[in-house]
Amino acid sequence: MSLTLDEKHDLILNQEKIFAYSLAKEMINKPAASVWMILLPILFVYHMFNIQKYKNSIHDFANNYLNTKTRALALALEQQKTGEKKELSLEVCFPQVDSANDKEVRVCQKQLKEIEVLFEHYAKLLGGRGKTYESLLKSGYSRGGDYRLFLNRLAEAENEVNRYVLKHFQTTDRAKEITRKMEGIVDRFREQDFRKYF
């Protein structure tokens, strides 16, 4: 028995969450415990407070990273369920955007390109056959080269968003350093996935 569209959606979303949380854990340093915490309980309380902040940071980072992914996946699912071609636009994908704010509109336009790439990818997976993420992926991409092309297009779209944000919103050297680190980890994870599946 094949999976329903909702089951495929959940399988894909779970895979994206695993990726996002793995990325978050690589990006955010976990507070280290010390032997002093045994001797001075107040330090242990402080450490637990830092651990909670760390966990919250992991969740916040992952949820922000997943924002465009979940939006594209929801739109692809809606198209699969209704059978009607979904038009992707700023109004559909970013109804809350302030059209008077030029920088905000431009970053959303760049994110829209990312959503378009993801939407096409998710539509392939949702239309695929199989009971695992790997089988859906291989059903959607019969050749590794096609999947590699998708990964390259996605990285290009994501990096374009990052470049715009670094130029107009987060202009510090620290922001550039963090972004480079994130892009490097994302590339590494995706290469590992590519080798795992193809």
Side-chain angles (χ1 to χ4, degrees):
M1 188 168 154
S2 62
L3 298 176
T4 66
L5 280 172
D6 286 326
E7 288 170 332
K8 290 177 187 177
H9 169 276
D10 292 347
L11 199 61
I12 296 164
L13 181 58
N14 187 53
Q15 190 68 26
E16 292 292 1
K17 284 182 177 179
I18 290 169
F19 189 98
Y21 278 92
S22 297
L23 175 61
K25 287 176 183 174
E26 290 266 337
M27 291 295 298
I28 301 169
N29 295 326
K30 186 175 184 177
S34 81
V35 71
W36 289 104
M37 290 175 193
I38 297 167
L39 301 172
L40 299 167
I42 191 68
L43 291 180
F44 183 73
V45 171
Y46 179 72
H47 176 69
M48 292 311 296
F49 174 74
N50 283 340
I51 288 289
Q52 189 57 49
K53 277 177 48 181
Y54 165 76
K55 287 179 181 178
N56 291 341
S57 296
I58 293 287
H59 288 295
D60 290 346
F61 182 98
N63 287 335
N64 285 333
Y65 181 80
L66 285 168
N67 193 6
T68 52
K69 279 83 176 153
T70 54
R71 194 166 293 175
L73 182 55
L75 292 167
L77 178 64
E78 187 180 329
Q79 177 175 279
Q80 290 289 327
K81 284 185 171 182
T82 64
E84 296 175 16
K85 183 163 175 51
K86 199 77 184 153
E87 292 298 322
L88 302 181
S89 65
L90 285 180
E91 293 77 21
V92 169
C93 297
F94 302 99
Q96 78 288 358
V97 71
D98 178 5
S99 59
N101 186 329
D102 190 50
K103 286 182 183 177
E104 202 173 300
V105 169
R106 287 182 189 236
V107 77
C108 287
Q109 286 170 336
K110 293 187 181 303
Q111 285 183 303
L112 182 60
K113 290 181 182 174
E114 179 186 343
I115 288 173
E116 289 168 350
V117 172
L118 288 164
F119 176 83
E120 182 183 318
H121 168 67
Y122 294 140
K124 285 182 181 181
L125 300 189
L126 290 168
R129 291 193 318 232
K131 294 184 178 183
T132 64
Y133 179 78
E134 181 175 359
S135 60
L136 292 179
L137 194 63
K138 289 186 174 179
S139 178
Y141 297 93
S142 55
R143 298 178 321 119
D146 294 334
Y147 182 59
R148 171 77 72 191
L149 183 61
F150 155 70
L151 291 176
N152 291 343
R153 288 177 57 221
L154 179 57
E156 185 179 318
E158 289 171 337
N159 293 347
E160 190 64 32
V161 172
N162 293 342
R163 281 191 290 273
Y164 188 83
V165 169
L166 288 173
K167 185 174 181 182
H168 297 282
F169 295 99
Q170 299 291 328
T171 59
T172 66
D173 288 340
R174 180 74 178 134
K176 291 173 186 171
E177 179 187 326
I178 290 169
T179 302
R180 273 194 303 273
K181 178 181 177 183
M182 183 181 74
E183 289 174 351
I185 294 168
V186 166
D187 287 347
R188 178 167 48 90
F189 282 0
R190 287 186 178 150
E191 184 60 28
Q192 289 168 354
D193 283 349
F194 179 83
R195 294 178 184 278
K196 176 180 173 183
Y197 298 124
F198 293 95

